[in-house]
Amino acid sequence: ANGEKLEAWYSGTFNDLTATSQLKVYFAGTAIADTGALTVSAIGGWKIDVALIRVSSTVVRYVVNISTPGASTAIYTSSGELTGLTLSNTNIIKITGTAGGGTGGNSDITAKSGSIYWYGSAAN
């Protein structure tokens, strides 16, 4: 129903100071947040917070905050609206972490935990 909301959070670690890391968040196959290439200066944690609210049967609004305190930029915020969706079908929230350069490879970025919450609309 219109007004329904999903909130999600994910956390993990950067494990390699020589790799160029990147975090992305997708909803329904569309990238809604992207840190771009990060220079990690301290091995440590990252956290992603996502909020999505249904506006209509084909539109959602979103806000994403990505905290990367050990990287070249510490906070990334992305907000906007996705249109042309089919919300009666399954849509997926997905995060990806990639690392390249230096010794970029397996285990440079580790996901540790996450959770998703659904809130009904005020009319439900």
Side-chain angles (χ1 to χ4, degrees):
N2 297 342
E4 290 180 335
K5 184 167 56 169
L6 288 177
E7 290 183 353
W9 64 266
Y10 305 95
S11 67
T13 57
F14 295 116
N15 305 311
D16 187 342
L17 295 179
T18 65
T20 302
S21 301
Q22 183 174 13
L23 298 172
K24 288 185 181 183
V25 179
Y26 296 84
F27 181 71
T30 299
I32 59 174
D34 182 351
T35 62
L38 297 170
T39 301
V40 178
S41 58
I43 292 174
W46 51 264
K47 185 170 187 260
I48 299 172
D49 294 297
V50 181
L52 298 156
I53 189 165
R54 178 179 158 144
V55 176
S56 70
S57 63
T58 61
V59 177
V60 297
R61 292 191 182 120
Y62 63 87
V63 63
V64 180
N65 289 305
I66 303 174
S67 173
T68 58
S72 51
T73 301
I75 301 285
Y76 294 84
T77 299
S78 175
S79 64
E81 192 171 85
L82 289 177
T83 60
L85 301 171
T86 305
L87 296 175
S88 59
N89 291 344
T90 300
N91 291 283
I92 296 172
I93 297 175
K94 176 175 113 173
I95 64 166
T96 62
T98 57
T103 59
N106 293 336
S107 302
D108 289 343
I109 303 171
T110 304
K112 296 288 188 177
S113 59
S115 191
I116 298 175
Y117 302 93
W118 170 83
Y119 300 95
S121 68
N124 286 341

